[in-house]
C-alpha cells in the first residue's frame, strides 16, 4: 500500500503573546532605580550644604516672605533692598524643587520595581518618605522665614534634613543591597543603638552651637539662642568624644564577634568620617569659625549621618529584609 501523502508544511506556531508597551516602560523605570536613589541621596546632602551657604552669607531673609520671594512676586525683583542676598536665598529655594523632582522619581521607580518583581507593596510607603520630607521642609522653611530666622526653626530645618539623609540612605541600601543583617549579637546591637542615640545628640547640640554663634543667617538682624557659645561648644565636643569612644568600641566588638566584612567596612568608614569631622570642628573653633570650614562641617554632618545609618542597616537589616524574609523562609520550607 502507498503511504498517505504527508503535508510539507509544519503546523502553525502558537501566536506570540502580545507585547504591552507598559512592560517596556516599567522595565526602563525599574533599571533606573539605583541611579535615581543615588541622585536622591546626593540631592538631600547637597541642599544641606546650600542651606549652609544661605546662612553663612547672611542671606536667610534674602526673600523676606514665603511662599513668595517678595510681596507680589515669587521670584526676586531688581529693586529689592536685600541686594545679592535675594539671589542666594532664591537659588536655594529653586534647589528645593530639584530635590522634589528627585523624590518623585524615587516613588515612580520604586513603584515600577515593585510591580515587576512582586515585591511587598508596603515598601511604597517608605519610598514616599523623601517626597513627604520635601513638603515638610517647605513648611518648616516658610516658618523659618516668617519667624525672622528663629534659631529653633533653623535648627529644625537642619535636623529634618538629617532625617531625610538617613531615610534616603536606608532606601538606597534596602533596595540595591538587600544583604543579610551583619550580626545578631546582643553586644553589637547594644553598641550600635547607643551610637545612633549619641549621634542624634551630637547633631542636635551642633545646631545649638551654630545657633549661638556668629552665623545667624541674616546679615542685618541676627537671631540667636542666647547661650554662651564657648560653653555649648564644649558640651558639643564632650558628646563628640563620647561618640568617638563608641565608634572605637564598635570596631573592637565587631572584630571579636567576627562580624560580616561589609559591617566592619561600614564601621571603618564611620571612624574615618568621624575623625575628619572632628578635625574640621576643632579647626573652625580655634580659627574663629570661618564660613568655608562651617560649610565643610555641615557637609561632614550629612556624611556622618549617612555613615551611621549604613552601620545601623549593616547590623540590624533593612525594611526589605523584614518584609521578604518570611516569604523566603516559607518558600524554602515548601520546596
Amino acid at each position: 500500500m502507498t503511504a498517505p501523502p504527508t503535508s510539507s508544511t509544519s503546523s502553525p506556531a502558537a501566536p506570540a503573546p502580545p507585547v504591552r508597551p507598559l512592560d517596556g516602560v516599567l522595565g526602563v523605570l525599574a533599571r533606573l532605580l539605583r541611579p535615581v536613589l543615588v541622585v536622591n541621596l546626593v540631592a538631600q546632602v547637597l541642599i544641606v550644604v546650600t542651606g549652609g551657604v544661605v546662612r553663612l552669607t547672611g542671606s536667610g531673609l534674602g526673600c523676606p516672605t514665603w511662599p513668595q520671594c517678595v510681596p507680589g512676586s515669587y521670584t526676586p525683583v531688581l529693586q529689592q533692598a536685600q541686594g545679592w542676598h535675594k539671589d542666594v536665598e532664591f537659588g536655594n529655594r529653586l534647589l528645593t524643587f530639584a530635590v522634589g523632582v528627585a523624590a518623585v522619581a524615587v516613588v515612580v521607580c520604586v513603584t515600577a520595581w515593585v510591580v515587576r518583581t512582586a515585591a511587598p507593596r508596603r515598601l511604597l510607603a517608605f519610598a514616599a518618605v523623601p517626597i513627604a520630607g520635601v513638603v515638610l521642609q517647605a513648611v518648616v522653611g516658610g516658618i523659618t522665614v516668617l519667624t525672622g530666622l528663629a534659631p529653633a526653626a533653623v535648627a529644625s530645618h537642619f535636623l529634618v534634613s538629617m532625617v531625610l539623609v538617613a531615610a534616603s540612605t536606608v532606601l538606597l541600601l534596602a533596595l540595591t543591597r538587600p544583604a543579610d543583617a551583619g550580626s545578631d549579637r546582643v553586644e553589637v546591637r547594644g553598641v550600635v543603638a547607643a551610637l545612633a542615640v549619641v549621634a542624634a545628640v551630637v547633631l542636635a547640640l551642633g545646631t545649638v552651637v551654630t545657633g549661638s554663634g556668629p552665623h545667624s543667617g541674616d546679615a542685618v538682624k541676627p537671631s540667636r539662642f542666647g547661650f554662651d557659645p564657648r560653653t555649648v561648644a564644649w558640651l558639643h565636643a564632650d558628646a563628640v568624644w563620647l561618640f568617638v569612644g563608641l565608634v572605637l568600641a564598635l570596631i573592637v566588638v565587631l572584630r571579636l564577634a567576627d562580624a560580616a566584612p561589609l559591617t566592619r567596612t561600614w564601621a571603618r568608614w564611620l571612624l574615618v568620617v568621624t575623625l575628619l569631622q572632628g578635625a574640621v570642628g576643632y579647626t573652625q573653633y580655634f580659627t574663629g569659625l570661618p564660613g568655608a570650614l562651617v560649610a565643610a562641617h555641615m557637609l561632614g554632618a550629612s556624611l556622618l549621618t549617612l555613615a551611621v545609618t549604613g552601620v545601623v542597616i549593616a547590623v540590624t537589616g533593612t525594611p526589605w529584609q523584614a518584609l521578604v524574609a518570611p516569604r523566603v523562609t516559607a518558600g524554602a520550607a515548601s520546596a
Side-chain angles (χ1 to χ4, degrees):
M1 296 179 60
T2 306
T6 59
S7 174
S8 60
T9 59
S10 59
S11 59
V19 177
R20 295 179 299 176
L22 184 60
D23 290 340
V25 174
L26 290 176
V28 172
L29 293 174
R31 285 191 293 272
L32 289 175
L33 178 63
R34 181 189 293 270
V36 165
L37 290 174
V38 172
V39 168
N40 172 67
L41 178 56
V42 172
Q44 296 291 353
V45 172
L46 182 60
I47 199 166
V48 173
V49 178
T50 60
V53 171
V54 170
R55 180 167 190 160
L56 295 168
T57 57
S59 304
L61 294 177
C63 286
T65 62
W66 186 90
Q68 295 179 326
C69 183
V70 289
S73 176
Y74 286 92
T75 60
V77 296
L78 292 176
Q79 61 269 30
Q80 271 188 243
Q82 290 78 19
W84 59 270
H85 294 293
K86 67 180 184 296
D87 300 314
V88 177
E89 165 62 9
F90 185 70
N92 190 59
R93 292 190 182 189
L94 286 180
L95 184 59
T96 300
F97 286 102
V99 176
V101 170
V104 171
V106 167
V107 174
V108 172
C109 291
V110 171
T111 301
W113 180 77
V114 167
V115 171
R116 282 182 60 85
T117 62
R121 295 184 182 273
R122 283 173 289 177
L123 287 171
L124 296 176
F126 194 66
V129 170
I131 193 169
V134 170
V135 175
L136 176 60
Q137 282 291 65
V139 174
V140 175
I143 294 173
T144 302
V145 172
L146 297 177
T147 57
L149 303 182
V154 175
S156 299
H157 210 28
F158 173 80
L159 293 175
V160 171
S161 284
M162 293 300 98
V163 172
L164 291 176
V165 169
S168 298
T169 302
V170 174
L171 267 174
L172 177 61
L173 297 179
L175 300 182
T176 62
R177 297 181 64 93
D180 293 333
S183 176
D184 58 358
R185 299 281 290 269
V186 174
E187 61 272 25
V188 173
R189 293 188 173 230
V191 173
V192 168
L195 193 71
V197 171
V198 175
V201 172
V202 167
L203 291 172
L205 288 175
T207 64
V208 176
V209 173
T210 304
S212 303
H215 303 295
S216 65
D218 184 65
V220 179
K221 298 179 180 179
S223 178
R224 302 189 178 97
F225 278 117
F227 300 118
D228 176 53
R230 184 183 297 269
T231 301
V232 292
W234 287 348
L235 184 60
H236 176 60
D238 290 340
V240 169
W241 279 112
L242 175 58
F243 182 79
V244 171
L246 287 170
V247 174
L248 294 174
L250 176 65
I251 291 175
V252 172
V253 169
L254 289 176
R255 186 175 183 85
L256 293 176
D258 195 24
L262 178 62
T263 306
R264 293 165 68 175
T265 298
W266 270 112
R268 286 192 292 268
W269 275 114
L270 176 58
L271 179 61
V272 171
V273 173
T274 301
L275 294 178
L276 289 174
Q277 181 73 333
V280 172
Y282 273 104
T283 303
Q284 70 173 3
Y285 177 79
F286 288 113
T287 56
L289 300 175
L293 285 181
V294 176
H297 205 48
M298 296 183 71
L299 172 61
S302 299
L303 297 180
L304 185 73
T305 300
L306 191 160
V308 170
T309 305
V311 167
V312 172
I313 293 302
V315 170
T316 63
T318 67
W320 162 260
Q321 295 160 16
L323 293 172
V324 175
R327 294 187 177 188
V328 174
T329 303
S334 61

